[in-house]
Amino acid sequence: MSEQTDNFPDLGLDHRLLQNLEHQAITTPTEIQAQSIPLALAGHDLIASSKTGSGKTLAFLLPMMHRLVKTRALSKRDPRAVILAPTRELAKQVFTQLRALTSGGQTKIALLLGGENFNDQAKALRKDPHVVVATPGRLANHLEERSLQLNGLELLIMDEADRMLDLGFAEQLTLINQAADHRLRQTLMFSATLDHAEVDSMADQLLKSPKRVAIGAANAEHKDITQEVILCDHLDHKEALLQNLLTNREYQQAIIFTATRTDTERLSALLQKENISCAALSGEMSQAERNRIMDGFSRGHQQVLVTTDVASRGLDLLQVSLVINFDMPKQAEEYVHRIGRTTCRRQR
Ligand code: ADP
Ligand code: MG
C-alpha cells in the first residue's frame, strides 16, 4: 500500500499486540492507523475517516486492546469496550478481526447481532465479556431489558457512524451514550465518510473535544480501479450483456448491485440458468439466511453475488475483482462504496 508510514512498534503499542500482528503478518500501519493510534492511545476522543479498505478496524481495535491490557478495569462486570457497527455483516467482520487480535489472550469477547436469539446473548453477557461488538438496535434492547449495564464502559467505538445514522439508529446511539455517561469514557467514531450533517451533531453529543483525522477526500475516487460504462438499449439487452460479461471476463468473484430484492432474485435465477454459480442477498432476508449466504460467498462457494446496497459498505471480500452496477445507486456516495468492494487496490 502506498499510504503506509512508520512501524507498529513506533506507535507505542503493547508488545503482546505487536507479537500478535507479527503472527498475522501485518507489519506496516496504514495511514489512518499511523495517525489515529497515537491520538487514541493518548486518550483523546476521535472522529476519523478514510476510504473503505484502508484499515479502519485495526485503527480502533489496536488502541482499544492496548488500553484493556495495560490498565485495570473500572468495573468487574460491565464490558470495558463496546464497538457498534451498522449491519450484522459489518459487526461480524469487526468481531472476526477482534478474535484474531485477542487469540491466546485473556480478553473475553461477545457478539450481539439483531435477529439472533436474545436469551443466548443475555447468557453470554452473564459471562462478563470485556468487549462487546454489536449492532446498535440489539445493544439498546439489552440495555432496556437490563441484561447489560454500561456504567463501567471505558471505550465506546462507532464504526461506519454515518451509515448507522442513515439507518435510523440515532435514538439507540443516544440511549447507549446515556447508559455509559461518565467522565472516564473515551469515544472513537470512524467512517468512510464524515461529511454528513447528522454525524457532526452526533459527534457533538457523544464526543469530548475530539481530535479529527481525515485521510484523503471522503469521496476520493479509487484510482487503481478501472471503471467502465457499458451502454444498453433495453432490459433484455442489459441482461444479455451481463451474461456475456460474466462468461467472458476474467475475474475471481463478482458482485452485481441491483435496485430491488426482486431484481436480485430474478437476475440470480437467470444467471444460474446459464450455469454461472451465483447467490442472491438482500436486506429483507432473515439473519440466518444472510449469514449463510455471506459465509458461503466469502468462502468462494459461488462466483457471483447479486445484492442490493446491503452489501456495499465496508465488507471485506478479498476475492471480488469485478463489481457490476446493474442498476445505478441512488446516491453518488453509495457508488464509491460499491466499487470499493473490489480488491484490486490491495496487493494480495
Ligand atoms: P476499512 O474498515 O477501512 O474498510 P478494514 O479495517 O476492513 O478496512 O481493512 C481492510 C483489510 O486490510 C483487512 O483485510 C485487514 O486485515 C487489512 N489490513 C488492515 N490493516 C493492515 C495493515 N496495516 N497491513 C496489512 N493489511 C492490513
Ligand atoms: Mg470498516
Side-chain angles (χ1 to χ4, degrees):
M1 275 187 235
S2 59
E3 52 193 48
Q4 290 171 335
T5 44
D6 295 327
N7 288 313
F8 279 111
D10 298 338
L11 300 177
L13 292 164
D14 182 80
H15 67 95
R16 285 160 282 191
L17 293 171
L18 295 176
Q19 229 168 25
N20 180 292
L21 289 175
E22 218 174 274
H23 278 137
Q24 297 191 56
I26 295 175
T27 53
T28 318
T30 63
E31 200 174 341
I32 186 77
Q33 291 162 2
Q35 293 205 24
S36 303
I37 291 170
L39 290 169
L41 287 178
H44 294 292
D45 280 5
L46 206 63
I47 175 162
S49 66
S50 65
K51 70 181 182 187
T52 300
S54 58
K56 289 187 288 295
T57 318
L58 283 176
F60 57 75
L61 288 183
L62 286 168
M64 175 195 85
M65 284 308 300
H66 179 91
R67 180 161 172 175
L68 299 195
V69 298
K70 285 296 214 194
T71 64
R72 288 173 67 97
L74 291 179
S75 145
K76 279 212 178 82
R77 305 215 40 201
D78 298 351
R80 302 185 66 183
V82 161
I83 305 167
L84 299 171
T87 64
R88 302 176 277 221
E89 283 80 9
L90 283 165
K92 276 179 72 176
Q93 286 206 344
V94 170
F95 188 77
T96 303
Q97 288 203 41
L98 174 63
R99 198 167 44 198
L101 205 57
T102 54
S103 82
Q106 306 288 315
T107 307
K108 292 184 280 182
I109 61 180
L111 178 63
L112 307 180
L113 302 177
E116 295 196 341
N117 188 292
F118 189 91
N119 292 331
D120 289 349
Q121 294 175 352
K123 206 163 136 193
L125 287 171
R126 287 199 288 277
K127 294 186 180 150
D128 303 334
H130 301 111
V131 185
V132 170
V133 181
T135 48
R138 183 47 66 95
L139 195 87
N141 292 154
H142 281 286
L143 289 172
E144 284 158 354
E145 297 298 323
R146 303 199 159 270
S147 36
L148 174 70
Q149 311 241 322
L150 295 179
N151 300 314
L153 192 77
E154 296 164 54
L155 271 153
L156 178 62
I157 299 169
M158 280 159 284
D159 193 15
E160 306 273 359
D162 61 334
R163 183 71 168 159
M164 287 200 276
L165 295 168
D166 285 343
L167 291 174
F169 284 130
E171 202 182 306
Q172 284 84 354
L173 294 179
T174 301
L175 182 87
I176 294 162
N177 178 46
Q178 283 163 355
D181 188 23
H182 62 79
R183 66 182 174 83
L184 294 176
R185 190 189 87 200
Q186 183 180 14
T187 310
L188 311 176
M189 207 178 209
F190 279 77
S191 185
T193 49
L194 288 172
D195 49 352
H196 194 299
E198 254 195 291
V199 170
D200 271 340
S201 73
M202 191 49 72
D204 282 348
Q205 195 189 324
L206 269 58
L207 309 185
K208 291 175 303 245
S209 332
K211 299 283 180 198
R212 282 183 176 263
V213 177
I215 309 296
N219 286 336
E221 220 180 294
H222 294 280
K223 286 212 182 60
D224 37 10
I225 293 175
T226 310
Q227 301 177 54
E228 263 179 72
V229 178
I230 303 174
L231 300 173
C232 38
D233 298 328
H234 45 70
L235 187 61
D236 287 348
H237 185 209
K238 197 164 159 182
E239 290 178 357
L241 283 171
L242 178 69
Q243 286 171 28
N244 185 282
L245 256 170
L246 290 173
T247 314
N248 297 322
R249 285 284 171 109
E250 268 186 35
Y251 58 94
Q252 290 174 283
Q253 282 186 306
I255 296 187
I256 303 168
F257 286 104
T258 64
T260 67
R261 172 181 54 100
T262 332
D263 291 327
T264 63
E265 283 161 9
R266 187 176 48 80
L267 281 185
S268 167
L270 188 84
L271 295 174
Q272 275 164 12
K273 253 197 247 161
E274 299 299 311
N275 291 322
I276 295 168
S277 85
C278 176
L281 178 80
S282 69
E284 288 89 342
M285 287 175 167
S286 75
Q287 164 67 37
E289 212 171 352
R290 281 166 66 173
N291 284 350
R292 187 178 56 75
I293 290 166
M294 284 313 295
D295 285 353
F297 184 65
S298 65
R299 283 165 207 231
H301 294 176
Q302 295 88 16
Q303 202 178 8
V304 177
L305 180 73
V306 190
T307 181
T308 53
D309 280 315
V310 72
S312 70
R313 284 285 186 126
L315 286 183
D316 188 33
L317 297 164
L318 295 174
Q319 305 303 318
V320 174
S321 56
L322 176 66
V323 173
I324 299 175
N325 287 288
F326 190 80
D327 296 309
M328 288 305 278
K330 291 191 192 71
Q331 284 161 3
E333 191 188 283
E334 210 55 56
Y335 177 79
V336 181
H337 286 288
R338 285 183 177 187
I339 68 168
R341 299 302 89 236
T342 67
T343 52
C344 41
R345 70 194 179 277
R346 289 201 287 275
Q347 315 290 311
R348 277 180 185 255

